[in-house]
Amino acid sequence: MCPGRPVCRWVTSAVLGLIQWAAALAAEHSVVVITPHNSSICSEFGHAFGAWHMKVHGEPSTVEWRNLGGTADALKFVQSEFAAKPDGIGIDCFFGGGPEPYLLLADRGLTTPYRLPPDILSGIPPSANGVELYDSQFRWYGAALSTFGILQNTRVQRRLGLPLVRRWEDLANPALRGWVGIADPRNSGTMNNMFEAFLQAYGWQQGWQLLTEIAGNASAFDRLSSSTAKDVTLGETAYGFAIDFYGFTQIAAAGRTNLTFVLPEDFTAISPDGLCILKGAPHPVDARRFLDFCLGEPGQRLWFLPRGHPEGPRFYSIERMAVRPDFYRRYGEVSNIAFSPFDLNQTFRYDSRLARRRREVVAALAGALLVDTQAELHAAWRSVIRPGRPAADRAVFGQTPISETVAVEIADGSWKDAAFRNRTKLQWQTWAQRKYRSLARGLSPAAPLSADDEEAVAPGPGA
């Protein structure tokens, strides 16, 4: 029983005040992060950041995650939100995905520069194998490193007599038809980076030729690259395009006798997985502290150390390569990461700025030539790999409607017009369907372009 109404009112008011104070404190000390990272990474980083923040700063802070799917989906959302709210979109940080989204956001003034404290920044080199690890103006950082390779189900291979492949071009072997996994580069930032690496390593025409032949062997195009890795583990496919940590995670779950991850001998691309503070961040102090955590030793240990290690993740294996070279010496005996990207000796250098410049055009071409026309592509592939077909037909199979020069020109100009984009993508798709149907019928070479298709090849003056 309440001893008196004034006391009751005072107690009630005090309790409400404490609740409001706690709510205000929680709202003040939080960081809102949009990310393509999976729930395992979000869970580990969210918990560890909160514990670190309490220990270092003496007050609680939480991470509020926003996940819309892949990197491409997250980037589209951020751009559309800034178009409507140019001063800020209620999100503090963009976390995850290759360097291209961060180059785009920085170039458009949608990031907030932040220079890390000297004791953190001194442990991160500006570049690795010629690839930038952070922006010279501190508008974005690489929070982890990634390489791309081929995840392989060796158990399925043994059962079906399929080979272990060691080069990307081995995936174009017709004997692998139906057993290759790949994802749609329009939705997956990881896959977009991988496609771009092919075009840079092999050259525009040869790169598309190889990608088209591999697409002929693909069972389907997944929406996300994480699904591609899981399909290999389940035995739905025997080979899958995979980012390294998806491969390491699946091997940790399924065992080394069933899966292996191969860095192809023809080329290996290194890419930083980015992190930045967005313009108008609603919690700028906690956003800066989130970067301090992720790029400092506590966050880097979450990436690099195995699950169960006292300073590693609690429940989920993350298996990512750190951006601190000293970790590979200090923790080499306990980490599951078997190699250091800082020790790779290769001539291939992934050009992130070129990739950022033509990112949308490459993704649209892949959609029109490989994904949306997959039924026709598969029929054409079955036809051109039959014994006795001329080698020229296989070359026609991998042709593209535009040159590399035109791709860059329209990326810099006409592609910004929505009507042009939609019209051109439809023209490319129609062109590809005609090419594949012609090859499937055994015609050699494919039917020539019509006047309408010529517009797709030369979409503007100077092209």
Side-chain angles (χ1 to χ4, degrees), residues 6 32 42 45 86 231 242 373 412 444:
V32 183
C42 294
F45 269 83
D231 285 346
T373 52
D412 289 341
S444 177

Side-chain angles (χ1 to χ4, degrees), residues 261-299:
F261 180 76
V262 171
L263 290 179
E265 297 171 355
D266 31 3
F267 73 88
T268 300
I270 298 174
S271 178
D273 205 72
L275 172 60
C276 73
I277 300 174
L278 293 173
K279 177 184 177 183
H283 312 100
V285 173
D286 288 61
R288 292 193 289 270
R289 291 173 178 174
F290 185 71
L291 265 67
D292 291 346
F293 168 75
C294 291
L295 293 155
E297 290 205 15

Side-chain angles (χ1 to χ4, degrees), residues 204-205 208 365 368-369 398-404 406-407 424-425 427-429 431-432 435-436 449 453-459:
W204 183 262
Q205 184 52 54
W208 279 115
L365 271 169
L369 304 183
Q399 283 181 353
T400 58
I402 59 172
S403 67
E404 182 173 20
V406 171
T424 301
K425 286 188 282 189
Q427 289 169 342
W428 288 345
Q429 183 174 335
W431 180 90
K435 177 184 68 168
Y436 296 140
L449 298 177
D453 291 323
E454 288 292 349
E455 187 178 347
V457 177

Side-chain angles (χ1 to χ4, degrees), residues 33-37 71 74-75 78-79 92-112 132-135 138-144 193 271-278 290-291 352-353 356 359:
V33 180
I34 188 167
T35 181
H37 284 318
T71 306
L75 180 62
V78 167
Q79 290 180 278
D92 294 294
C93 297
F94 197 115
F95 182 31
E100 291 84 3
Y102 298 89
L103 293 169
L104 186 151
L105 292 171
D107 288 347
R108 296 185 179 179
L110 302 180
T111 63
T112 298
E132 282 183 298
L133 297 191
Y134 58 84
D135 177 57
F138 310 107
R139 296 172 295 178
W140 61 267
Y141 294 88
N193 291 348
S271 178
D273 205 72
L275 172 60
C276 73
I277 300 174
L278 293 173
F290 185 71
L291 265 67
S352 299
R353 298 194 177 277
R356 171 259 184 272
R359 177 186 184 90

Side-chain angles (χ1 to χ4, degrees), residues 196-282:
E196 176 64 40
F198 270 78
L199 301 179
Q200 292 187 23
Y202 280 98
W204 183 262
Q205 184 52 54
Q206 189 178 352
W208 279 115
Q209 179 76 40
L210 182 53
L211 287 169
T212 308
E213 293 182 2
I214 294 173
N217 283 337
S219 58
F221 275 85
D222 298 311
R223 178 172 174 79
L224 299 176
S225 56
S226 57
S227 300
T228 302
K230 291 175 183 175
D231 285 346
V232 177
T233 304
L234 294 172
E236 298 292 330
T237 56
Y239 313 85
F241 280 41
I243 197 168
D244 55 2
F245 68 92
Y246 284 157
F248 296 144
T249 301
Q250 296 302 313
I251 291 171
R256 297 180 182 275
T257 60
N258 297 315
L259 297 177
T260 189
F261 180 76
V262 171
L263 290 179
E265 297 171 355
D266 31 3
F267 73 88
T268 300
I270 298 174
S271 178
D273 205 72
L275 172 60
C276 73
I277 300 174
L278 293 173
K279 177 184 177 183

Side-chain angles (χ1 to χ4, degrees), residues 101-156:
Y102 298 89
L103 293 169
L104 186 151
L105 292 171
D107 288 347
R108 296 185 179 179
L110 302 180
T111 63
T112 298
Y114 171 58
R115 180 167 185 151
L116 291 169
D119 60 316
I120 298 177
L121 191 61
S122 62
I124 306 172
S127 64
N129 283 276
V131 177
E132 282 183 298
L133 297 191
Y134 58 84
D135 177 57
S136 61
Q137 299 177 49
F138 310 107
R139 296 172 295 178
W140 61 267
Y141 294 88
L145 290 177
S146 302
T147 57
F148 306 113
I150 307 168
L151 181 63
Q152 305 185 51
N153 190 313
T154 53
R155 185 175 183 179
V156 170

Side-chain angles (χ1 to χ4, degrees), residues 31 33 37 40-57 59 61-63 65 93 95 114-121 124 141-144 273-277 284-305 310-314 318 322-324 327:
V31 57
V33 180
H37 284 318
S40 300
I41 293 176
C42 294
S43 173
E44 294 292 349
F45 269 83
H47 174 269
F49 171 72
W52 172 86
H53 197 278
M54 177 63 77
K55 178 180 179 181
V56 173
H57 298 287
E59 53 193 6
S61 185
T62 59
V63 182
W65 301 102
C93 297
F95 182 31
Y114 171 58
R115 180 167 185 151
L116 291 169
D119 60 316
I120 298 177
L121 191 61
I124 306 172
Y141 294 88
D273 205 72
L275 172 60
C276 73
I277 300 174
V285 173
D286 288 61
R288 292 193 289 270
R289 291 173 178 174
F290 185 71
L291 265 67
D292 291 346
F293 168 75
C294 291
L295 293 155
E297 290 205 15
Q300 291 293 294
R301 285 194 285 262
L302 276 186
W303 294 124
F304 195 71
L305 294 177
E311 296 177 302
R314 300 172 305 157
I318 299 179
V323 295
R324 299 179 59 97
F327 269 40

